[in-house]
Amino acid sequence: YINIFQKLIHQFQPTQKLLNLVSNIPTNLITVHLRRTDKSSKYVSASAAHGIDLKDIDDLNNKTKNLIGRFIEKGFHHFYFASDCPNTKHEYEQYYQNQNQNIINYKINQNIEQTYIDIYLMSQSKYIILSQRHSSFSLFSSMINQTQFIFFYEDSIVNNNKYTNLNHICNINNLNI
């Protein structure tokens, strides 16, 4: 199915309505996909959370902030935080605004349209940092334009589906920045 997917992915194009909502995207944008509410066993069963437990959230936040710090040291200063959890999104935005980083925020009131904005911004980013064990949403977004997709945890779903053979998908341990 991966060959079919690769042929069809190029059919995804933003609508004019989406382009009217989102403009002036920086060329070196980094999107951080923060999955917390539906992927943490604080909120759901551990199996549904793909192995992320409440005690692991601090470690995940530290890994995420350390990687963002590495990007800042390399001259990246434009960040977009996509999240299902408004509190987590707000915490990250405030933390990096206080460090004088350029936080991109396209917030609208309709959840479904926000989903399209998130997909579009991820696909237009230079990097997507997956701050979770797995997300088909961000993986799919990375495939639209071959955005560099960085993940922290070995992901059996990615490995079993042989997505790791795609050049734009990278475990943090293999990242050269």
Side-chain angles (χ1 to χ4, degrees):
Y1 294 106
I2 192 77
N3 292 335
I4 294 170
F5 180 77
Q6 288 173 331
K7 290 178 184 177
L8 291 177
I9 196 73
H10 299 292
Q11 301 296 318
F12 286 89
Q13 297 293 322
T15 64
Q16 189 58 50
K17 182 179 180 180
L18 177 62
L19 293 174
N20 290 341
L21 291 171
V22 180
S23 60
N24 302 320
I25 301 170
T27 56
N28 284 330
L29 179 64
I30 295 175
T31 296
V32 181
H33 190 193
L34 303 161
R35 296 293 298 272
R36 298 295 185 268
T37 307
D38 67 335
K39 294 292 183 181
S40 166
S41 58
K42 172 182 177 185
Y43 306 100
V44 296
S45 71
S47 61
H50 297 289
I52 298 294
D53 201 347
L54 181 59
K55 65 181 175 29
D56 299 322
I57 294 295
D58 287 338
D59 181 57
L60 181 60
N61 285 330
N62 288 334
K63 287 179 179 184
T64 302
K65 288 179 179 179
N66 286 338
L67 181 55
I68 292 170
R70 287 172 56 191
F71 277 111
I72 291 170
E73 287 174 6
K74 294 291 183 178
F76 290 87
H77 300 287
H78 303 287
F79 297 94
Y80 177 70
F81 296 98
S83 183
D84 60 324
C85 181
N87 293 339
T88 301
K89 179 178 171 73
H90 180 74
E91 286 172 21
Y92 270 81
E93 288 173 342
Q94 287 298 305
Y95 181 83
Y96 287 101
Q97 282 174 342
N98 291 340
Q99 293 186 21
N100 297 316
Q101 301 306 312
N102 183 16
I103 305 304
I104 308 303
N105 193 353
Y106 291 101
K107 179 69 178 151
I108 59 173
N109 293 328
Q110 298 170 342
N111 286 339
I112 191 71
E113 288 184 354
Q114 187 66 48
T115 299
Y116 290 116
I117 288 173
D118 289 347
I119 288 172
Y120 182 66
L121 287 172
M122 284 186 198
S123 74
Q124 299 301 305
S125 295
K126 183 144 181 100
Y127 295 94
I128 298 171
I129 299 171
L130 176 60
S131 185
Q132 179 45 250
R133 188 167 301 276
H134 177 76
S135 169
S136 297
F137 181 77
S138 53
L139 182 61
F140 171 80
S141 300
S142 77
M143 291 180 162
I144 295 172
N145 284 325
Q146 302 297 294
T147 301
Q148 184 74 44
F149 180 81
I150 304 165
F151 61 97
F152 295 112
Y153 301 106
E154 286 301 322
D155 182 341
S156 62
I157 295 170
V158 170
N159 292 336
N160 291 340
N161 290 305
K162 299 181 177 37
Y163 293 125
T164 54
N165 293 334
L166 299 175
N167 293 332
H168 73 283
I169 298 175
C170 180
N171 181 290
I172 183 68
N173 298 323
N174 301 321
L175 182 65
N176 293 320
I177 61 156

